[in-house]
Amino acid sequence: MSKLKIAVQKSGRLHDDSMKILKDVGVSIDNGRDQLKASAKNFPLEVFYLRNGDIPQYLRDGVVDAAIIGENILIEKGIDIPIVEKLGFSSCKVSLAVPKAIKFKSIQDLQGKRIATSYPNTVNQFLSKNNIEAQLHIINGSVEIAPNIGLADAIVDIVSSGSTLFKNNLKEVEVLLQSEAVLAVSPLISTKNEIILNQLKFRFQSVLKGRQSKYVLLNAPNNKIQDILKILPGMKSPTILPLAEEGWSSLHSVINKNDFWEIIDELKAKGAQGILVCPIENMVL
């Protein structure tokens, strides 16, 4: 049987999040310590554990069929590689930072300056777009120390919490791009493996939709139902079931977790009682 070969980052937060979503979609992988690849027990899939920066070339060459990879890496090293799904986790940004003591007014202050970065293509695109000429110092790792040792006037690097910038007495002054984990596909993927990839993509979509949603159950007097229905979006429309107590009904619906507290406050104001909120593992639409 044909197996889909998918690459994930060898270690780090993106690795952990990638393995979690594979587990959440029911793919069981027996990956021992220091293995370079592992097969799934219950799905036609092989996982390759690779350095994040090497994955675009593996996709381009058809060594792997697909990858869970940071969008920032594709923009830097694999702009020609198609993205088939944004996965919504491992969010970060590629940002410009300068020493805290510097009075930074605008990006034009970069004119003629030295910038240390691990993302030369991304930085060059940004500089070209803004008609800025600057000198790049390409560094792999520990970019944040460059201004402190006199190597650069500014840096461009990946930022998650901002704690590393703070520790190195730097401040973020410009965001070049926002990034998250994506599912990318090799241009050389076979027809058979593309079918398997679509099956995996469907599972990802179901889990991601579930993560973004909450299941809500509530009780309400019948004379308030129409007001409450205007608040509850539902997938098609909320479910309404009569309660044993006359004049009352139970309403079941799904809401976006980002709007959760606002909707709950509105429901209470409209007379909803006994509101229960449950997580959703999967949502198949």
Side-chain angles (χ1 to χ4, degrees), residues 175-195:
V175 177
L176 276 65
L177 62 92
Q178 299 281 353
S179 175
E180 63 183 271
V182 297
L183 180 63
V185 61
S186 168
L188 301 179
I189 188 172
S190 68
T191 302
K192 286 184 179 179
N193 284 354
E194 192 168 8
I195 292 171

Side-chain angles (χ1 to χ4, degrees), residues 53-197:
D54 294 338
I55 291 176
Q57 192 60 49
Y58 279 82
L59 286 166
R60 197 175 285 114
D61 293 342
V63 176
V64 294
D65 301 305
I68 299 174
I69 184 172
E71 188 177 6
N72 58 300
I73 297 297
L74 283 187
I75 292 172
E76 176 64 27
K77 295 187 174 183
I79 196 68
D80 56 316
I81 297 169
I83 293 172
V84 295
E85 190 72 29
K86 293 197 172 188
L87 300 176
F89 56 79
S90 295
S91 297
C92 63
K93 52 192 172 180
V94 176
S95 297
L96 171 72
V98 299
K100 290 180 180 178
I102 298 295
K103 293 182 179 180
F104 189 86
K105 298 178 181 177
S106 75
I107 56 176
Q108 295 303 319
D109 291 350
L110 297 173
Q111 198 72 247
K113 296 295 193 296
R114 301 164 300 163
I115 303 174
T117 187
S118 301
Y119 297 89
N121 293 330
T122 302
V123 176
N124 277 325
Q125 290 174 23
F126 172 78
L127 294 176
S128 177
K129 179 181 176 182
N130 291 281
N131 298 313
I132 295 170
E133 291 187 7
Q135 181 182 352
L136 295 194
H137 288 283
I138 302 171
I139 300 176
N140 292 317
S142 301
V143 175
E144 294 84 1
I145 68 169
N148 293 329
I149 61 176
L151 183 62
D153 304 298
I155 69 163
V156 172
D157 200 20
I158 191 169
V159 175
S160 295
S161 66
S163 61
T164 304
L165 293 182
F166 180 80
K167 291 175 184 176
N168 286 276
N169 206 31
L170 299 173
K171 60 183 179 182
E172 180 185 73
V173 293
E174 185 79 18
V175 177
L176 276 65
L177 62 92
Q178 299 281 353
S179 175
E180 63 183 271
V182 297
L183 180 63
V185 61
S186 168
L188 301 179
I189 188 172
S190 68
T191 302
K192 286 184 179 179
N193 284 354
E194 192 168 8
I195 292 171
I196 300 171
L197 177 65

Side-chain angles (χ1 to χ4, degrees), residues 193-265:
N193 284 354
E194 192 168 8
I195 292 171
I196 300 171
L197 177 65
N198 286 335
Q199 293 172 347
L200 185 65
K201 177 184 169 184
F202 171 74
R203 293 191 184 192
F204 281 170
Q205 290 171 338
S206 299
V207 167
L208 293 172
K209 188 64 177 175
R211 288 180 181 179
Q212 296 165 5
S213 306
K214 296 284 188 181
Y215 190 69
V216 177
L217 303 87
L218 60 91
N219 298 329
N222 290 343
N223 62 357
K224 297 290 186 180
I225 288 177
Q226 290 306 314
D227 290 336
I228 289 173
L229 289 179
K230 294 176 183 178
I231 301 169
L232 290 176
M235 288 180 286
K236 286 190 179 296
S237 63
T239 300
I240 304 174
L241 300 171
L243 293 179
E245 183 176 344
E246 189 174 346
W248 283 76
S249 294
S250 174
L251 282 74
H252 300 203
S253 188
V254 172
I255 62 175
N256 189 300
K257 74 172 185 179
N258 294 328
D259 304 324
F260 169 73
W261 287 111
E262 290 80 1
I263 291 177
I264 293 299
D265 288 341

